[in-house]
Structures are given as structure tokens and as C-alpha cells.
Amino acid sequence: SNLIHSTILGYGIPSDAMHTADKLEILRSLEAQAYSNQGSIGQVARELHISEPTVYRYLRRIRSEAT
């Protein structure tokens, strides 16, 4: 979706140069915007150059911080 792409581009760092903390911050932002839907995990993974299981791990970490 455009939301995912624009959020990543708006971060100002190429995704292949991002550190884990950068990627977590982007996922926090996307989580706050309720981006989640079918296919979005795959798109986030592709755009951040990480695997889908890594996206899920990051999301679990973010969600556990919120509780």
C-alpha cells in the first residue's frame, strides 16, 4: 500500500542501510496507523529487506512493549 511505501520513504534512510532500531521505529509508526491487512507483512518485509518471520518478531516485540 502507499501508506507502507510512504512511511518507509519518509524515514529518510535507504532501507538497506537501516539498523534494527530504524526498522522497529518504522513498524511502530505503521502499527500506530493500523496498516495491517492481508499481504501487508510481505510488502513490509520486501521494502525493509527483511524476512516475513522477522517482521512478525518485530511486531511481537512492539506489541509486548505496549502492554
Coordinates of all heavy atoms in Angstrom, one line a residue:
S1 N 0.8 -1.2 0.0 CA 0.0 0.0 0.0 C 0.9 1.2 0.0 O 2.0 1.2 0.4 CB -0.9 0.0 1.2 OG -0.4 0.6 2.3
N2 N 0.3 2.3 -0.4 CA 1.0 3.6 -0.4 C 1.4 4.0 1.0 O 2.5 4.7 1.2 CB 0.2 4.7 -1.0 CG 0.0 4.5 -2.5 OD1 0.9 3.9 -3.1 ND2 -1.0 5.1 -3.1
L3 N 0.6 3.7 2.0 CA 1.0 4.0 3.4 C 2.3 3.4 3.8 O 3.2 4.1 4.4 CB -0.1 3.5 4.4 CG 0.2 3.7 5.9 CD1 0.3 5.2 6.2 CD2 -0.9 3.1 6.7
I4 N 2.5 2.1 3.5 CA 3.8 1.4 3.8 C 4.9 2.1 3.1 O 5.9 2.5 3.7 CB 3.7 -0.1 3.5 CG1 2.6 -0.7 4.4 CG2 5.0 -0.7 3.7 CD1 2.2 -2.1 4.0
H5 N 4.8 2.3 1.8 CA 5.9 2.8 1.0 C 6.2 4.2 1.4 O 7.4 4.6 1.6 CB 5.5 2.8 -0.5 CG 6.5 3.1 -1.4 ND1 7.6 2.4 -1.6 CD2 6.7 4.2 -2.2 CE1 8.4 3.0 -2.5 NE2 7.9 4.1 -2.8
S6 N 5.2 5.1 1.6 CA 5.5 6.5 2.0 C 6.1 6.6 3.4 O 6.9 7.4 3.6 CB 4.2 7.3 1.9 OG 3.2 6.9 2.8
T7 N 5.7 5.7 4.3 CA 6.2 5.7 5.7 C 7.7 5.4 5.6 O 8.6 6.0 6.3 CB 5.5 4.7 6.6 OG1 4.1 5.2 6.7 CG2 6.1 4.7 8.0
I8 N 8.1 4.3 4.9 CA 9.5 3.9 4.7 C 10.3 5.0 4.0 O 11.4 5.4 4.5 CB 9.6 2.6 4.0 CG1 9.0 1.5 4.9 CG2 11.0 2.2 3.7 CD1 8.8 0.1 4.3
L9 N 9.8 5.5 2.9 CA 10.5 6.6 2.2 C 10.7 7.9 3.1 O 11.7 8.5 3.1 CB 9.8 7.0 0.9 CG 10.0 6.1 -0.2 CD1 9.1 6.6 -1.4 CD2 11.4 6.0 -0.6
G10 N 9.6 8.2 3.9 CA 9.7 9.3 4.7 C 10.7 9.2 5.9 O 11.0 10.3 6.5
Y11 N 11.1 8.1 6.1 CA 12.1 7.9 7.2 C 13.5 8.5 6.8 O 14.2 8.9 7.7 CB 12.3 6.4 7.6 CG 12.9 6.2 8.9 CD1 12.2 6.4 10.1 CD2 14.2 5.7 9.0 CE1 12.7 6.3 11.3 CE2 14.8 5.5 10.3 CZ 14.0 5.8 11.4 OH 14.6 5.6 12.6
G12 N 13.7 8.6 5.5 CA 14.9 9.3 5.1 C 16.2 8.5 5.0 O 17.2 9.1 4.7
I13 N 16.1 7.2 5.2 CA 17.3 6.4 5.2 C 16.9 5.2 4.2 O 15.9 4.6 4.4 CB 17.7 5.8 6.5 CG1 18.0 6.9 7.5 CG2 18.9 4.8 6.4 CD1 18.3 6.4 8.9
P14 N 17.8 4.9 3.3 CA 17.5 3.7 2.4 C 17.4 2.5 3.3 O 18.1 2.3 4.2 CB 18.7 3.6 1.5 CG 19.4 4.9 1.6 CD 19.1 5.5 2.9
S15 N 16.4 1.7 3.0 CA 16.1 0.5 3.8 C 17.2 -0.5 4.0 O 17.4 -1.1 5.0 CB 14.8 -0.2 3.4 OG 15.0 -0.6 2.0
D16 N 18.1 -0.6 2.9 CA 19.2 -1.5 3.1 C 20.3 -0.9 3.9 O 21.3 -1.6 4.3 CB 19.7 -1.9 1.7 CG 20.1 -0.7 0.8 OD1 19.9 0.4 1.2 OD2 20.7 -1.0 -0.2
A17 N 20.2 0.4 4.3 CA 21.2 1.0 5.2 C 20.6 1.1 6.7 O 21.3 1.6 7.5 CB 21.6 2.3 4.7
M18 N 19.4 0.7 6.9 CA 18.8 0.9 8.2 C 19.3 -0.2 9.2 O 19.6 -1.3 8.8 CB 17.3 0.7 8.1 CG 16.6 1.8 7.4 SD 14.8 1.5 7.4 CE 14.3 2.9 6.4
H19 N 19.3 0.2 10.4 CA 19.6 -0.7 11.5 C 18.3 -1.2 12.1 O 17.2 -0.7 11.8 CB 20.4 0.1 12.6 CG 21.7 0.6 12.2 ND1 22.8 -0.2 12.0 CD2 22.1 1.8 11.9 CE1 23.8 0.5 11.6 NE2 23.4 1.7 11.5
T20 N 18.4 -2.2 13.0 CA 17.2 -2.8 13.6 C 16.4 -1.7 14.2 O 15.1 -1.7 14.1 CB 17.6 -3.9 14.6 OG1 18.4 -4.9 13.9 CG2 16.4 -4.5 15.3
A21 N 17.0 -0.8 15.0 CA 16.2 0.2 15.6 C 15.4 1.1 14.7 O 14.3 1.5 15.0 CB 17.1 1.1 16.5
D22 N 16.0 1.3 13.5 CA 15.2 2.1 12.5 C 14.0 1.3 12.0 O 12.9 1.9 11.8 CB 16.2 2.4 11.3 CG 17.4 3.2 11.6 OD1 17.3 4.1 12.4 OD2 18.5 2.8 11.1
K23 N 14.2 0.1 11.7 CA 13.1 -0.8 11.2 C 12.0 -0.9 12.3 O 10.8 -0.9 11.9 CB 13.7 -2.1 10.8 CG 14.6 -2.0 9.6 CD 15.3 -3.3 9.2 CE 16.2 -3.0 8.0 NZ 16.9 -4.2 7.5
L24 N 12.4 -1.1 13.5 CA 11.4 -1.1 14.6 C 10.6 0.2 14.7 O 9.4 0.1 14.9 CB 12.1 -1.4 15.9 CG 12.5 -2.9 16.2 CD1 13.5 -2.9 17.4 CD2 11.3 -3.7 16.4
E25 N 11.3 1.3 14.5 CA 10.6 2.6 14.6 C 9.6 2.7 13.4 O 8.5 3.2 13.6 CB 11.6 3.7 14.5 CG 11.0 5.1 14.7 CD 10.3 5.2 16.1 OE1 10.8 4.6 17.1 OE2 9.3 5.9 16.2
I26 N 10.0 2.2 12.3 CA 9.0 2.3 11.1 C 7.8 1.4 11.4 O 6.7 1.7 11.2 CB 9.7 1.9 9.8 CG1 10.6 3.0 9.4 CG2 8.7 1.5 8.7 CD1 11.6 2.6 8.2
L27 N 8.1 0.2 11.9 CA 7.0 -0.7 12.3 C 6.1 -0.2 13.4 O 4.9 -0.3 13.3 CB 7.5 -2.1 12.6 CG 7.9 -3.0 11.4 CD1 8.7 -4.2 11.9 CD2 6.7 -3.4 10.6
R28 N 6.7 0.5 14.3 CA 5.9 1.2 15.4 C 5.0 2.2 14.7 O 3.8 2.3 15.1 CB 6.8 1.9 16.4 CG 7.3 1.0 17.4 CD 8.1 1.8 18.5 NE 8.8 0.8 19.3 CZ 10.1 0.6 19.1 NH1 10.8 1.2 18.2 NH2 10.7 -0.3 19.9
S29 N 5.5 3.0 13.8 CA 4.7 4.0 13.1 C 3.6 3.4 12.3 O 2.4 3.8 12.4 CB 5.6 4.8 12.2 OG 4.9 5.7 11.4
L30 N 3.9 2.3 11.6 CA 2.9 1.6 10.8 C 1.8 1.0 11.7 O 0.6 1.0 11.4 CB 3.5 0.5 9.9 CG 4.3 1.1 8.7 CD1 5.1 -0.1 8.1 CD2 3.4 1.8 7.7
E31 N 2.3 0.4 12.8 CA 1.3 -0.2 13.8 C 0.4 0.9 14.3 O -0.8 0.6 14.5 CB 2.1 -0.8 14.9 CG 1.3 -1.6 15.9 CD 0.9 -3.0 15.4 OE1 1.1 -3.3 14.3 OE2 0.2 -3.7 16.2
A32 N 0.9 2.0 14.6 CA 0.1 3.1 15.1 C -1.0 3.6 14.1 O -2.0 4.1 14.5 CB 0.9 4.3 15.6
Q33 N -0.6 3.4 12.8 CA -1.5 3.8 11.8 C -2.5 2.7 11.3 O -3.2 2.8 10.4 CB -0.7 4.3 10.5 CG 0.1 5.5 10.8 CD 1.0 5.9 9.7 OE1 0.5 6.1 8.6 NE2 2.3 5.9 9.9
A34 N -2.4 1.6 12.1 CA -3.3 0.4 11.8 C -3.2 0.0 10.3 O -4.2 -0.2 9.6 CB -4.7 0.7 12.2
Y35 N -2.0 -0.3 9.9 CA -1.7 -0.6 8.5 C -2.1 -2.0 8.1 O -2.3 -2.4 7.0 CB -0.2 -0.4 8.1 CG 0.6 -1.5 8.7 CD1 1.0 -2.6 7.9 CD2 1.0 -1.5 10.0 CE1 1.8 -3.6 8.4 CE2 1.8 -2.5 10.5 CZ 2.1 -3.6 9.7 OH 2.9 -4.6 10.3
S36 N -2.2 -2.9 9.1 CA -2.2 -4.3 9.0 C -3.4 -4.8 8.1 O -4.5 -4.5 8.4 CB -2.2 -5.0 10.3 OG -1.3 -6.1 10.4
N37 N -3.1 -5.6 7.1 CA -4.1 -6.3 6.3 C -3.4 -7.4 5.6 O -2.2 -7.5 5.6 CB -4.9 -5.4 5.4 CG -4.0 -4.7 4.4 OD1 -3.0 -5.3 3.9 ND2 -4.3 -3.5 4.1
Q38 N -4.2 -8.2 4.9 CA -3.6 -9.3 4.2 C -2.6 -8.8 3.1 O -2.8 -7.9 2.4 CB -4.6 -10.1 3.4 CG -5.5 -11.0 4.3 CD -4.7 -12.2 4.8 OE1 -3.5 -12.3 4.8 NE2 -5.4 -13.2 5.3
G39 N -1.4 -9.4 3.1 CA -0.4 -9.1 2.2 C 0.6 -7.9 2.6 O 1.6 -7.7 2.1
S40 N 0.2 -7.2 3.7 CA 1.0 -6.1 4.1 C 2.3 -6.6 4.8 O 3.3 -5.9 4.6 CB 0.2 -5.2 5.1 OG -0.1 -5.9 6.3
I41 N 2.3 -7.7 5.4 CA 3.5 -8.2 6.1 C 4.6 -8.5 5.0 O 5.7 -8.1 5.1 CB 3.2 -9.5 6.9 CG1 2.3 -9.2 8.1 CG2 4.5 -10.1 7.4 CD1 2.8 -8.1 9.1
G42 N 4.2 -9.1 3.9 CA 5.1 -9.4 2.8 C 5.6 -8.1 2.2 O 6.8 -8.1 1.9
Q43 N 4.8 -7.1 2.0 CA 5.2 -5.9 1.5 C 6.2 -5.2 2.4 O 7.2 -4.7 1.9 CB 4.1 -4.9 1.2 CG 4.5 -3.6 0.5 CD 3.4 -2.7 0.2 OE1 2.3 -3.0 0.4 NE2 3.8 -1.5 -0.3
V44 N 5.9 -5.1 3.7 CA 6.8 -4.5 4.6 C 8.2 -5.3 4.6 O 9.2 -4.6 4.6 CB 6.3 -4.6 6.1 CG1 7.3 -4.2 7.1 CG2 5.1 -3.6 6.2
A45 N 8.1 -6.6 4.6 CA 9.4 -7.4 4.5 C 10.2 -7.0 3.3 O 11.4 -6.8 3.4 CB 9.0 -8.9 4.6
R46 N 9.5 -7.0 2.2 CA 10.3 -6.7 0.9 C 10.9 -5.3 1.0 O 12.0 -5.1 0.6 CB 9.3 -6.8 -0.3 CG 9.0 -8.2 -0.7 CD 8.3 -8.3 -2.0 NE 7.0 -7.6 -2.0 CZ 5.9 -8.1 -1.5 NH1 5.9 -9.3 -0.9 NH2 4.7 -7.4 -1.5
E47 N 10.1 -4.3 1.4 CA 10.6 -2.9 1.4 C 11.7 -2.7 2.4 O 12.5 -1.8 2.2 CB 9.4 -2.0 1.7 CG 8.4 -2.0 0.5 CD 7.9 -0.7 0.0 OE1 8.6 0.3 0.3 OE2 6.9 -0.7 -0.6
L48 N 11.6 -3.4 3.5 CA 12.7 -3.3 4.6 C 13.9 -4.2 4.4 O 14.8 -4.2 5.2 CB 12.1 -3.4 6.0 CG 11.2 -2.3 6.4 CD1 10.6 -2.7 7.8 CD2 11.9 -1.0 6.5
H49 N 13.8 -5.1 3.4 CA 14.8 -6.1 3.1 C 15.0 -7.0 4.3 O 16.2 -7.3 4.7 CB 16.1 -5.4 2.7 CG 16.0 -4.5 1.5 ND1 15.9 -5.1 0.2 CD2 15.8 -3.2 1.3 CE1 15.8 -4.1 -0.7 NE2 15.7 -3.0 0.0
I50 N 13.9 -7.5 4.8 CA 14.0 -8.5 5.9 C 13.0 -9.6 5.6 O 12.1 -9.4 4.7 CB 13.7 -7.9 7.3 CG1 12.3 -7.2 7.3 CG2 14.8 -6.9 7.7 CD1 11.9 -6.6 8.6
S51 N 13.0 -10.7 6.3 CA 12.1 -11.8 6.1 C 10.8 -11.5 6.8 O 10.7 -10.7 7.7 CB 12.7 -13.1 6.6 OG 12.8 -13.1 8.0
E52 N 9.7 -12.2 6.3 CA 8.4 -12.1 7.0 C 8.5 -12.6 8.4 O 7.9 -11.9 9.3 CB 7.4 -12.9 6.2 CG 7.0 -12.2 4.9 CD 5.9 -12.9 4.1 OE1 5.0 -13.6 4.8 OE2 5.9 -12.8 2.9
P53 N 9.2 -13.7 8.8 CA 9.3 -14.0 10.2 C 9.9 -12.9 11.0 O 9.5 -12.7 12.2 CB 10.2 -15.3 10.2 CG 9.9 -15.9 8.8 CD 9.8 -14.7 7.9
T54 N 10.9 -12.2 10.4 CA 11.5 -11.1 11.2 C 10.5 -10.0 11.4 O 10.4 -9.4 12.5 CB 12.7 -10.5 10.4 OG1 13.7 -11.6 10.3 CG2 13.3 -9.4 11.1
V55 N 9.6 -9.7 10.4 CA 8.6 -8.7 10.7 C 7.7 -9.1 11.8 O 7.4 -8.3 12.7 CB 7.7 -8.5 9.4 CG1 6.5 -7.6 9.7 CG2 8.6 -7.9 8.3
Y56 N 7.3 -10.4 11.8 CA 6.4 -10.9 12.9 C 7.1 -10.8 14.3 O 6.5 -10.4 15.3 CB 6.0 -12.3 12.6 CG 4.9 -12.4 11.6 CD1 5.1 -13.0 10.4 CD2 3.6 -11.9 11.9 CE1 4.1 -13.1 9.4 CE2 2.6 -12.0 10.9 CZ 2.9 -12.6 9.7 OH 1.9 -12.6 8.7
R57 N 8.4 -11.1 14.3 CA 9.2 -11.0 15.6 C 9.2 -9.5 16.0 O 9.0 -9.2 17.2 CB 10.6 -11.5 15.4 CG 10.8 -13.0 15.6 CD 12.2 -13.4 15.7 NE 13.1 -13.0 14.6 CZ 13.2 -13.7 13.5 NH1 12.5 -14.8 13.3 NH2 13.9 -13.3 12.5
Y58 N 9.5 -8.6 15.1 CA 9.5 -7.2 15.5 C 8.1 -6.8 16.0 O 8.0 -6.0 16.9 CB 9.9 -6.3 14.3 CG 11.4 -6.4 13.9 CD1 11.8 -5.8 12.7 CD2 12.3 -7.1 14.6 CE1 13.1 -5.8 12.3 CE2 13.6 -7.2 14.2 CZ 14.0 -6.5 13.1 OH 15.4 -6.5 12.7
L59 N 7.1 -7.2 15.3 CA 5.7 -6.8 15.7 C 5.4 -7.4 17.1 O 4.8 -6.7 18.0 CB 4.7 -7.3 14.7 CG 4.6 -6.5 13.4 CD1 3.7 -7.2 12.5 CD2 4.2 -5.1 13.7
R60 N 5.8 -8.6 17.4 CA 5.6 -9.2 18.8 C 6.3 -8.3 19.8 O 5.8 -8.0 20.9 CB 6.1 -10.6 18.8 CG 5.1 -11.6 18.4 CD 5.4 -13.0 18.8 NE 6.7 -13.5 18.3 CZ 7.0 -14.0 17.1 NH1 6.0 -14.2 16.3 NH2 8.2 -14.4 16.8
R61 N 7.6 -7.9 19.5 CA 8.3 -7.1 20.4 C 7.6 -5.7 20.6 O 7.5 -5.3 21.8 CB 9.7 -6.8 19.8 CG 10.6 -6.0 20.7 CD 11.8 -5.5 19.9 NE 13.0 -6.3 20.1 CZ 14.1 -6.1 19.5 NH1 14.3 -5.0 18.7 NH2 15.2 -6.9 19.7
I62 N 7.2 -5.1 19.6 CA 6.5 -3.8 19.7 C 5.2 -4.0 20.5 O 4.9 -3.2 21.4 CB 6.2 -3.3 18.3 CG1 7.5 -2.9 17.6 CG2 5.2 -2.1 18.3 CD1 7.3 -2.6 16.1
R63 N 4.4 -5.0 20.2 CA 3.2 -5.2 20.9 C 3.4 -5.5 22.4 O 2.6 -5.1 23.3 CB 2.3 -6.3 20.2 CG 1.8 -5.8 18.9 CD 1.2 -6.8 18.1 NE 0.8 -6.3 16.8 CZ 0.5 -7.0 15.7 NH1 0.6 -8.3 15.8 NH2 0.2 -6.5 14.6
S64 N 4.5 -6.3 22.7 CA 4.8 -6.6 24.1 C 5.2 -5.4 24.9 O 5.0 -5.2 26.1 CB 5.8 -7.7 24.2 OG 7.1 -7.3 23.9
E65 N 5.9 -4.4 24.2 CA 6.3 -3.2 24.8 C 5.1 -2.3 25.2 O 5.1 -1.6 26.2 CB 7.2 -2.3 23.9 CG 8.5 -2.9 23.6 CD 9.3 -2.2 22.5 OE1 8.7 -1.3 21.8 OE2 10.4 -2.6 22.3
A66 N 4.0 -2.4 24.4 CA 2.8 -1.6 24.6 C 2.0 -2.1 25.8 O 1.1 -1.4 26.2 CB 2.0 -1.6 23.3
T67 N 2.2 -3.3 26.2 CA 1.3 -3.8 27.3 C 1.9 -3.6 28.6 O 3.0 -3.3 28.9 CB 1.0 -5.3 27.1 OG1 2.3 -6.1 27.0 CG2 0.2 -5.6 25.8

